[in-house]
Structures are given as C-alpha cells and as structure tokens.
Amino acid sequence: MGTAEAFTNRQAQWEFAVAALAEHLRHVNNPAFDPEDLEVARDNVVVFHGIGGIGKSTLSRKFEASLADPTQRPTQWRAPVLGRVRILPVRIDLARSASPDFEKVVLSVRLALAAIGQPLPAFDLALRRYWEHQHPGDPLEDYLNRGGLGARFGKALPQQMQSALSDVAQTLLLPGTVGSAIGQVTGALVGALRERRQTVRALAGCARLADLLESEPDLDSLSYYPHLLAWELARIPVAKRVTPVILLDAFEEIGDRTHRDFERLLQRLVWLMPNAFFVITGRSRLQWSDEALQGQLDYTGPTAWPGLAARDIPHARTEFPAPSRDRQMLIGDFSFEDCDDYLARRLTADGHPLIGDSIRRVIGQRSHGLPLYLDLGVMRFLELRRSGHTPQPRDFDHDFPALIARTLSDLTAPERHVLRSVSLFSSFDLALATRAAGLPQQASALRLVERPFVRETPFGLWPFHLHALIRATIRGADDQTDDRWSAADWQQAASRAFAALGEQWRDGSDRDRLLLVGCLRQGLAIARDYRLDLGWLVEAAWTYVGDSVWEPLYPAASTEEEGATATAADALVELISALARRQHENRARTVERLVAVTDSGLLPAELSEMAVYYRAKAQRDLGHTEESRQGMQVVAVGGGRLAANARRGLAHLSRLAGDFPTALEAAERLGWEGRHHRVVGDVHWVQGTVHLAAQAFGAARAEAEEHGKTGEAAMAQAMRAFTLAFTTDPTIDDEIDLGERLLSQADLRAATLDVRIAALLRDAGTNTGVEDRAQALAVEVSTSGLLFVQAKLELARAFHHAVRDDQSDVASSISRLHELTREGYYAYYVDIVHFMADLALDTRSHARWLDGQQRVRQRWRNMVVDRSALLTSRLAT
C-alpha cells in the first residue's frame, strides 16, 4: 500500500469529477429520464474525502471557479467536454464558522437558480408559504441581506417569487389585492389542481405539488421542496436549460456518524434533485450505500447509491483511476473512521473482521491516518498470531522502526539532520528549521519541505508541519540508522530550537498576539521535555498575562508521568494553564491548582508572585476575602510587576466591604498600571451615580485601547454596558453590542456574564421572559464559583421586580442576597434593593456611602421610577 499523495497537483481530482459530470449529463439528457421518479437509483454525486488540512476546501473553491469561468481553470486541467450544456455552479460552505442550516442551503440553491432569469412558480409558492409561516414579520429580502446571501447571489429572488405569486393569482382570477396573500393563493391553487382545471395546466404536470402545498410548512416539508426545483428545471426550454453543480464543502461539520439529522436533510436534497450534480468534500467517505443505516437516512444501500458502494479496501489515489461507477475518491490520509474500515476489511474470517474493535482503535489512533502505519499494524497482528500469542491492544502501543527507515531512505544526510531538528516543532518555517538544525544556509530545509510527509498550511503562523505519525516516530522510535542522534545531540538541537523561537518572538511586533501564543506553546513544550532553563519564557509569560486575553495554550502532552511537575517549565505550563482555564473552571479549582504551583517551589520569584496574585483574585471571587487580602498584601509589599494590581485588589476588597471612601482614595493613587478608572467606576455605580461610573469605565476602555490591551478594554466596556443598563439611556443596545464585539477577541468569563446581565437589565420590567432568562443564567453562574457575579445577577433580578412593583419577588431577591452576602462582603447589595423598592432597611447599613445614604436611596429609586415611566409611555403609544 502506498503513502498518501502530497496533494499539490489536483488534475486527478478534476478529471475524476469532470468524467462523472459528463456521464451525469448524458443520463439526464436521455428522453427516458424522469426527475419525478423517486425509485430509480441515484448517481449524481461525487465525493472527495481525506484528513483535514490537505486542501479539500481549496479544491472545492477551484472547482466552482473553473466551472463558472474557463479562464479561472488551472492550465494543467484539461477543458471539460460537456457539450453545449450551461453549467451553473454554487458552492455551499457547511463549516460551523459559516453557521450553516438547512434553510440557508435551500435558499443558496434557489438564489443561484435566480440567474436563469425567470420564476420557478411551483417551488417559489411553496417556499413563500413556508417562509411566512416560519418567519412571520421577517421579510425574506431582509433575511437575505442580513446573512450576506443577497450580496453574494443578487437580489432577484424576492421579485421572482412575487411575480410567481401574482401570475398564479391572476390565472386563478383572484382579486388583485390577493397577490401577496400566500395562504389564499395556495389554497385556491390546490383546489384547482385537485379539480384538474385547465387554468392551471402549466402546474398540473407536477404530480406532488398539491400534496406539498397542503403539508405543514415545517423544516421536514422544506426538505421535500427540492423535488419541485427538479421538476421546474426539467421543464425549462432546452435553449435556456441549466445543470446546477452544487458543491457541499466541509461535510464532516454537519454532525457525526451517530447524529445524522442534518445529513438526512442534505441526502434528501441530493436524492430529490436527480438533474443536479453534487460535489461533496469532507473528511470521511459517505456511507449512504451502507444498508445498516436504514432508519437513520431515507435512502440507503448499494442499489440506491451504486457509485458510493465500498467495493474494496480504500486506498489513497495518486493517479486518475480506470473508468468505473466509483464516485468516491480518497485524497491524502484516512480519517479515523476510514482507518477502522480499512482494518476491518483488511483481514477477515468468515466475513467478520479478524482484528477486534479495541485493537483497531489503538492502531487507528496511533496511525494518524497514515496508510503505511496501518499496513505495519496489520503485519504485526499477523506476526503475533503466528507466534501463538493472542494479540492485545497493548501490543500495538508501538512505534515501527520501519517507518523511520522508509522515511529516511531517500533523504540526504543534511535533510535527515533537518528532519530530526524540525520534529521538535509542531509547526515551523524555513528560518526555524535552519536555526534549529544549526545550518548556515536554508538549502536543506528547502529540499525537505518539498517531501510529501511535510504538510503546508499557507496561512498558518508557521506554514510547515510534519505528518503527525512521522514526527512522533522520528522522536520516539528506536532509531537504528547509521547517523542516528545520541541523547546529547537531541539536547543540543532542543536548545537551538528553543533559542530560535525566542528570537522570533523578540524580533516580532509587541502586539503580535498570535506569534506570542505560538512561541509560548512550542517553547514551553521543548523546555519541559528537555529540562531547559526558562529563559525568554519568563518575559513571554508576563506579556501573555498582561493582555488579559487568555487564549488556551495546550502544549503537547508531556513525556513524563501525567500530572507530574518536575521542572520549572512544568510549573509554568501549569500556572498559565490554570490562569487560562479559570475562565471555564470553578474558581475553587483555580485556587487548588495555583496553590500546588506555589508549593512546588519550582518557579523563579517573579513568576511565583504571579501565582500568588491570581490565587488571591480567585479567592476574592469565591468570597474568601481574608485569604485574598493576605495574598494581595504580600504582592503589594513585594513591589514587583503586579504590585499596582495588588493595590487595586486591596481597593476592591475595601469596596466589597462597603468602605467606599477608602476605595476611592486608593483608586486615585493607582494610575494606569492599577487600572484606576475601572476602580473609580466600580465605586460610583453602586452609589447610583451611574453616569459618572459609565464615564469612568469609558475612560478605562479608551486607556486600555491606547495601550493595546484588548482584554482590559473588553472588561471596562462590559461594566459600562452593565452600568448604563440600569438607566433609560437610548444607546444601551450599542453599548451591549460593543461589549460583545470586544469580548469576541478575549476569553473572559466574568465580563461575558456582565454583558449578559446587562441584556437582562435592559429588558427589566418588560414581558420578554426576563425572569426565565435570569434563572437559566443563574444555573450557569453557579457552576463558575464567581460569587460576585451571582450577587450581581440577583441585583438585576431585583431591579426587574422593583420596576414591576412585585413586592413578593423583591422580598425573595432580598432573601437570596442575604444568603449570598452572609460573610459581609457585597452586603450593600441588600441595601440597594431596599432603595430600589422604596423599602425601609431591615437592619442598619454598614456601608460608608460617599455622599450619604439618603441620596443613594433616591438615585436608585429614581432609576426604577424612570424605567417604569418609560414602559408606561411605550404602552400608551
């Protein structure tokens, strides 16, 4: 079995698709072809499948461009011989980033067909009825413009649909005003079709039109409407007829081989449009010819899909195959599912796989899709059986020296040297490869990256990476080659690779976050595995923390025992991981991890200070204020890089205790390093001076943006939106939108929750399900361990109840806040709820308000009254 193709010359794939398309055209142009026949087998699809990163999406885009415009076709691709048929390609991206849904798929197909320049009344009437039922008050044209479909395909569809509706209304002699009343038009049309009136003979030829127009207009019905499109396409005059070529890319993104709901709808689309041609690209082969899927999909088995049947052991094709009905082509390596298929088919006994599930799983996972490894695994299985040993999964946790020999056999000595060096990197460029190898020129690296086991991602930070299995084998297998490296050789190469990463980071832009994270991820792994000093990682870690963005680093798994912390790099990996993961873990877990890091004693003093500071922050979030105060004081007294942050932390602790004058006085001495504006805003909003607070948070955001601190800007804007949401400020929607936009660039759990609470506050007092939304959010907040966010959410619920003058629910909020603030911190939230609802305090307030309790009370009560008055005026108008 051969290794996978490098996938640089895609001529074979083009020839494969064009040959299938030509055969499809001959089939649909046969006078015996009937698009309404739902029983005949389908052969209108080709599939290209293979592992991620080998260019399947690029291939899909190039197919679309070449079919749409011959000048876009690569010179090595021969012109297709398709006769005088007009081809209409439309590519649909099913990747999650494109937010696919079945409605968008159907609309994309219909929008592309709008280029024909005429209504398709049977389909258009059904679609119009569906849309008005499923999206009342949301015109289709507005939806298309919002989603970008109108800009991509043009805006002819709504006009064509209206034309079809008006024409049918006129044919049925309905009043002119009914031209837009879809329910009456379709009802009258169904009656005419059932009665076989001559007036609708143009549509009477569609046997299933009446049934589809009478069915409930839901998503299931929508999935049958492509049948109407197929009928419409078939009755277009020959001179104007087109053949749609629909390219469905990233097919693996619609689900998995267990959850097939979306796949079922797409399969129905393919089946019901036999005169369209489909090109599907994804990571795994289509299993539609597998009869075992009956019940999960509508049409299954080799009789239904003769071109998709698995006829033999799958193999990676590197040349154009002999003509056949085969409609699936593997490009690159196997997906995990195809590894399992291969191993199950490779050795059989009495029609059953000889290699068991658990062994197939181990071999497939370790192969990383490389066909050669699968062959070696099969040979090892047979060798063990011949020796009388019953193979076990542990027997295949194994590296094959033969892989090294096969990989290195035709490389020059300098290329082998570079290969071993770059195996230290998860990805690399020519400069890193040359520097890690310690060579003066890039010639050997240039030759190496042309090899098929070196993959290229042109738009990556570093464009090259080794095939995962080759990389693991080079680093871990028993290397018996003549020029094998000693342990000292590997150590020296690791030192060179580590230094090269540091040089790239230092030479890059201060604000190149992608480079920082990439260098950290790879540098941490190398330093950990080869027990190197931290070096440039110290400064890089401070830069990472200073931006408050918290992208996950996830360096490759350690070769040490899982969970072991043996080196400074191990400790730094755990420190940074704990700081990033705290956005997704309970703060108690964060404290536990940071205590372990500080107790290890492996970090230098300045990084140990980082662990102490963030441990104190997490303790404050949990309500462990005394432990937090002790940690903040240690860091503040130490005078290190986080001293100003620790002083801010102490100011926050004063605010939490209700000592607002002390907190405000401290804020004035913090400066930018201590985020003084944000502390000022935090003090002012609880006083009810929300516009002063909003100004402070706005200044904090502007200052953060000036310093290039994306995360800090997002946190400040989140609090600005939260603060203004108590008011009737007409710009609140814009403030919330800005907060969401900034947070999309950072991973900040508490700030994200602040913006979501702001959205609740904006709707407080209305009948928009505020309480249900708040309860759902409370469940999410409770798992985070963020005590202050729980209290803030309860305050928002109380504001909603106060605006609605619901004293019972206000009392419930007060009770919950008493429980949340029983340690005395944030206790003034209870006071604020009393102020909102104009209730006397149950007990004496311990808060030191800036300008007296009565003024604070009046401000909070005024906000409730203003919101109530606004809602009343809206109802009156």
Side-chain angles (χ1 to χ4, degrees), residues 228-510:
L228 303 177
L229 273 183
W231 179 80
E232 296 274 19
L233 288 170
R235 73 190 191 107
I236 293 174
V238 174
K240 295 184 177 180
R241 189 167 298 174
V242 300
T243 296
V245 175
I246 301 170
L247 302 107
L248 301 176
D249 188 34
F251 202 80
E252 74 279 0
E253 296 271 15
I254 64 170
D256 55 37
R257 290 185 169 180
T258 302
H259 303 91
R260 296 182 182 265
D261 293 343
F262 199 170
E263 184 179 1
R264 186 187 193 114
L265 298 175
L266 291 176
Q267 192 208 50
R268 201 173 286 168
L269 170 74
V270 177
W271 186 271
L272 296 175
M273 294 190 69
N275 44 1
F277 186 76
F278 292 80
V279 179
I280 294 178
T281 44
R283 294 195 177 181
S284 298
R285 68 179 181 88
L286 283 189
Q287 294 181 308
W288 296 353
S289 63
D290 188 346
E291 290 180 332
L293 294 182
Q294 187 173 3
Q296 295 187 61
L297 300 174
D298 291 347
Y299 312 97
T300 58
T303 302
W305 304 96
L308 302 182
R311 291 180 172 77
D312 201 352
I313 297 169
H315 59 280
R317 296 186 178 90
T318 56
E319 58 182 282
F320 182 57
S324 72
R325 289 287 295 277
D326 194 357
R327 291 291 184 263
Q328 304 210 60
M329 176 183 276
L330 171 66
I331 50 179
D333 295 324
F334 292 130
S335 67
F336 177 76
E337 292 86 352
D338 284 338
C339 288
D340 191 69
D341 280 351
Y342 174 87
L343 294 169
R345 295 170 184 273
R346 185 69 166 79
L347 297 175
T348 60
D350 299 324
H352 299 286
L354 192 60
I355 304 176
D357 290 348
S358 57
I359 295 177
R360 295 204 308 270
R361 188 178 308 112
V362 172
I363 298 174
Q365 289 172 343
R366 288 186 62 86
S367 75
H368 295 278
L370 189 70
L372 173 59
Y373 188 96
L374 300 178
D375 268 353
L376 293 170
V378 168
M379 286 188 285
R380 179 169 175 79
F381 182 89
L382 293 173
E383 180 184 348
L384 291 170
R385 279 175 56 91
R386 281 195 296 268
S387 68
H389 175 74
T390 300
Q392 301 295 324
R394 62 177 177 272
D395 295 325
F396 296 88
D397 186 13
H398 182 76
D399 291 310
F400 292 106
L403 276 174
I404 296 181
R406 187 77 71 88
T407 303
L408 302 182
S409 60
D410 62 344
L411 301 182
T412 65
E415 288 170 354
R416 293 196 293 272
H417 184 75
V418 175
L419 174 62
R420 291 189 173 95
S421 300
V422 298
S423 71
L424 296 165
F425 299 118
S426 57
S427 58
F428 60 94
D429 59 14
L430 292 173
L432 278 180
T434 305
R435 178 75 173 81
L439 299 176
Q441 295 93 20
Q442 294 185 352
S444 298
L446 280 167
R447 290 195 300 272
L448 182 73
V449 298
E450 295 174 354
R451 300 288 179 170
F453 53 78
V454 178
R455 309 300 170 85
E456 183 175 5
T457 307
F459 303 108
L461 175 61
W462 294 294
F464 304 110
H465 64 277
L466 294 180
H467 185 286
L469 179 62
I470 300 299
R471 180 179 180 231
T473 305
I474 290 292
R475 293 186 65 180
D478 184 14
D479 186 349
Q480 297 300 318
T481 56
D482 291 340
D483 59 350
R484 62 184 178 274
W485 277 7
S486 67
D489 292 328
W490 281 106
Q491 192 70 28
Q492 291 173 9
S495 296
R496 292 193 300 266
F498 181 74
L501 286 167
E503 290 169 7
Q504 282 211 1
W505 173 61
R506 283 190 292 266
D507 293 343
S509 167
D510 291 342

Side-chain angles (χ1 to χ4, degrees), residues 804-847:
R804 296 171 68 88
D805 197 23
D806 191 330
Q807 295 301 314
S808 174
D809 283 338
V810 167
S812 297
S813 285
I814 290 174
S815 176
R816 287 190 290 268
L817 277 170
H818 270 303
E819 178 63 22
L820 288 169
T821 63
R822 64 182 181 275
E823 300 297 330
Y825 290 88
Y826 298 106
Y828 50 85
Y829 280 9
V830 177
D831 299 351
I832 292 174
V833 176
H834 283 82
F835 301 162
M836 290 174 178
D838 201 20
L839 299 173
L841 293 178
D842 298 331
T843 58
R844 185 177 67 86
S845 173
H846 295 285

Side-chain angles (χ1 to χ4, degrees), residues 101 103-104 107 131 138-147:
D101 60 54
E103 285 185 350
K104 283 187 178 178
L107 286 172
W131 192 263
D138 186 9
L140 178 59
E141 187 169 9
D142 291 349
Y143 174 85
L144 297 177
N145 290 335
R146 284 198 309 273

Side-chain angles (χ1 to χ4, degrees), residues 501-568:
L501 286 167
E503 290 169 7
Q504 282 211 1
W505 173 61
R506 283 190 292 266
D507 293 343
S509 167
D510 291 342
R511 297 187 180 182
D512 191 338
R513 188 78 185 176
L514 185 64
L515 178 63
L516 167 69
V517 172
C519 289
L520 265 175
R521 184 179 292 121
Q522 297 214 70
L524 282 167
I526 293 172
R528 179 198 61 204
D529 292 346
Y530 292 91
R531 298 176 178 266
L532 304 178
D533 291 337
L534 294 181
W536 59 269
L537 287 173
V538 174
E539 196 61 37
W542 280 110
T543 304
Y544 172 83
V545 169
D547 287 344
S548 299
V549 177
W550 310 116
E551 308 95 324
L553 289 178
Y554 303 133
S558 173
T559 55
E560 301 287 343
E561 181 181 349
E562 185 176 353
T565 303
T567 68

